[in-house]
Structures are given as structure tokens and as C-alpha cells.
Amino acid sequence: MTRFLRLSLILTGLIMLFPSQGMAETPFPIIHEPEGKECVEDEDDMRRNHMNYIRHQRDKTMREGIRAESEGSYSLSKCIDCHVEANDKGVTPTHNDKEHFCVACHEYAAVQIDCFQCHADRPQKNIKRSSSDQALKDQLQEMLAAKDMGDVQ
Ligand code: HEC
Ligand code: HEC
Ligand code: HEC
């Protein structure tokens, strides 16, 4: 056991000494990209800045001064409609699945987002409706109202 531990410490040390090699060993998450379509901005920009594009208008205007005209193209529901598709088994991943477009990277980067507590994590057409939906909707409305009041203060 001890020897194994010491060996891993040495290995860790080596990775720290040669960071680029260490990085190359870390598997990058597989990200599914919709075929035959284009993102709202170029890929590199999106990779770096998507979080800024999709923050609430209120936040954008206040913190980053991004103007309202550019709003429409960064709608979160549009991101989901294009990026979240059914897998080979016909199942559309939810935000609790590693497969979900928004999750693979975030897990890798240890980022957590709360957006899907309120926003749909799948295209509307892939969400099965049931009779319990109305109750859920009411609950959500209550939550949103409370949140809005909290934000305004
Ligand atoms: C507590 C509920 C709640 C949470 C959590 C939440 N939102 Fe929202 N979001 C809303 C409501 C309500 C609206 C307004 C919808 C409207 O005006 O039609 C909205 C609107 C938006 C819009 C503009 C409309 C659209 O469809 O794109 C974006 C973009 C957005 N939210 C992104 C996010 C992101 C990103 C997160 C996570 C960081 C997030 N939201 C978390 C409730 C929430
Ligand atoms: C009409 C389809 C479409 C819409 C809408 C769309 N995307 Fe994309 N997105 C793509 C495609 C296709 C790519 C792959 C790169 C490319 O070809 O532009 C991509 C790439 C990305 C990447 C980089 C992925 C990687 O491999 O690094 C991120 C992050 C991203 N999109 C986030 C978003 C967000 C957030 C939104 C909503 C504001 C959004 N996308 C809206 C199609 C779309
Ligand atoms: C290519 C990888 C990748 C994809 C795909 C991706 N993200 Fe991210 N996202 C990141 C990284 C990395 C960060 C952390 C950036 C930082 O901290 O500077 C992040 C941060 C965020 C944040 C800010 C979190 C915070 O705590 O401030 C939000 C909101 C967000 N992403 C939403 C989304 C949504 C919604 C999707 C799917 C439509 C998505 N992301 C897809 C890599 C990705």
C-alpha cells in the first residue's frame, strides 16, 4: 500500500513538473455537436463566452452593458432546441445525464449551474406531457415570483 502511495506521489510530482504532458493524459469530454447546423457565434467564442451570452438580460445590462438588440439570438431555449437531441436509443438526455450537452463539459470543469431548475433542459417537443404538468407549472410560477421579489429587494 505504502509503496503504491509513494509511487502515485512521484507520478503526481512528474505531472506537475511536466504540466503539458499531464494535461494531454486527461481525457476531454466527448461533446456532441449537431450536424449540418451552425452555432450562434463561432465555436471558439462560444466555448469561452457562452456563459456571458446567456445570462439574464438584467444581469447583462447591469454588469456587462450588452444591449438588448442582441438578446434574441442567445435564448436558452434555442440553445437547447439545437444542441439537445435524442440518443441512439431514442432517449433525450436530461440535465442529470452526463450525455447532456451542457453537462459533459461542466462536469469536467467542475461547474454547476442552476438554470434547469426553471428552464427546460430538453426541446419542448421531446418532453412528454402528463397530467401532473399543471401542478408542476403552478409550483414553478410560485418559485419564480418569490425569486423575482428577492432579486428586486
Ligand atoms: C428561478 C428560476 C430561474 C432560474 C434558476 C434561471 N432562470 Fe432564466 N429565466 C427565468 C424566467 C422567469 C425568465 C423570463 C422568461 C420570459 O420572460 O419569457 C428567464 C429568462 C431567461 C433568458 C431569456 C429568455 C430565453 O428563453 O432565453 C435566458 C437566456 C435565461 N433565462 C438564462 C438563464 C441561465 C443561463 C440560467 C442559469 C445560470 C437561468 N436562466 C436560471 C427563470 C429562471
Ligand atoms: C442552430 C443550432 C445551434 C444553436 C441555436 C446553438 N448552437 Fe451552439 N453549436 C452548434 C454547432 C453546430 C456547434 C459546433 C461548432 C460549429 O459548427 O459552430 C456548436 C458549438 C457550441 C459550443 C462549443 C462546443 C465545443 O465543442 O467546444 C458551445 C459551448 C455552444 N455551442 C453553446 C451554445 C449556446 C449556449 C447556445 C445558445 C445561446 C447555442 N450554442 C446555440 C449549434 C447551435
Ligand atoms: C465546451 C464545454 C462547455 C459546454 C458544451 C457548455 N459549457 Fe457552460 N461552461 C463551461 C466552462 C468551462 C465554464 C466555466 C467558465 C469559467 O469559470 O470561466 C462554464 C460556465 C457556464 C456558466 C456560468 C457558471 C457560473 O458559475 O458562473 C453557465 C451559466 C453555463 N456555463 C451554461 C451553459 C449551458 C446552459 C450550456 C448548454 C447549452 C453550457 N454551458 C455548455 C464549459 C461548457
Side-chain angles (χ1 to χ4, degrees):
M1 270 318 257
T2 328
R3 191 179 296 158
F4 177 70
L5 188 67
R6 199 176 303 143
L7 183 64
S8 10
L9 283 177
I10 291 167
L11 281 176
T12 314
L14 282 177
I15 289 168
M16 281 157 76
L17 275 177
F18 304 107
S20 56
Q21 282 171 27
M23 298 271 283
E25 304 284 325
T26 315
F28 195 74
I30 296 162
I31 304 158
H32 171 83
E33 281 165 0
E35 271 169 44
K37 295 186 181 148
E38 265 183 31
C39 202
V40 289
E41 299 290 343
D42 67 58
E43 187 171 23
D44 206 41
D45 186 10
M46 282 316 275
R47 207 170 282 167
R48 269 177 248 211
N49 299 320
H50 63 279
M51 54 307 267
N52 300 329
Y53 291 136
I54 56 173
R55 285 213 181 107
H56 287 173
Q57 152 114 45
R58 194 165 32 190
D59 296 358
K60 282 183 175 175
T61 317
M62 280 164 44
R63 294 197 211 127
E64 289 140 39
I66 295 174
R67 279 165 306 154
E69 303 77 289
S70 57
E71 273 307 298
S73 43
Y74 306 128
S75 153
L76 184 55
S77 50
K78 279 193 203 152
C79 321
I80 297 300
D81 279 351
C82 193
H83 275 287
V84 181
E85 295 174 321
N87 64 18
D88 302 345
K89 295 178 195 118
V91 179
T92 311
T94 73
H95 70 279
N96 296 316
D97 298 322
K98 277 195 179 131
E99 262 186 274
H100 188 281
F101 173 70
C102 307
V103 174
C105 268
H106 288 172
E107 254 187 18
Y108 177 84
V111 175
Q112 286 199 333
I113 59 170
D114 67 355
C115 320
F116 302 121
Q117 283 172 22
C118 304
H119 291 273
D121 58 357
R122 286 155 289 163
Q124 288 298 330
K125 65 176 162 63
N126 296 9
I127 299 177
K128 295 208 169 55
R129 302 271 155 216
S130 76
S131 53
S132 67
D133 275 5
Q134 191 51 48
L136 272 177
K137 220 170 167 182
D138 293 345
Q139 231 177 319
L140 175 63
Q141 296 304 331
E142 268 171 42
M143 203 174 136
L144 289 178
K147 162 100 168 143
D148 270 349
M149 282 165 66
D151 276 350
V152 176
Q153 270 150 20

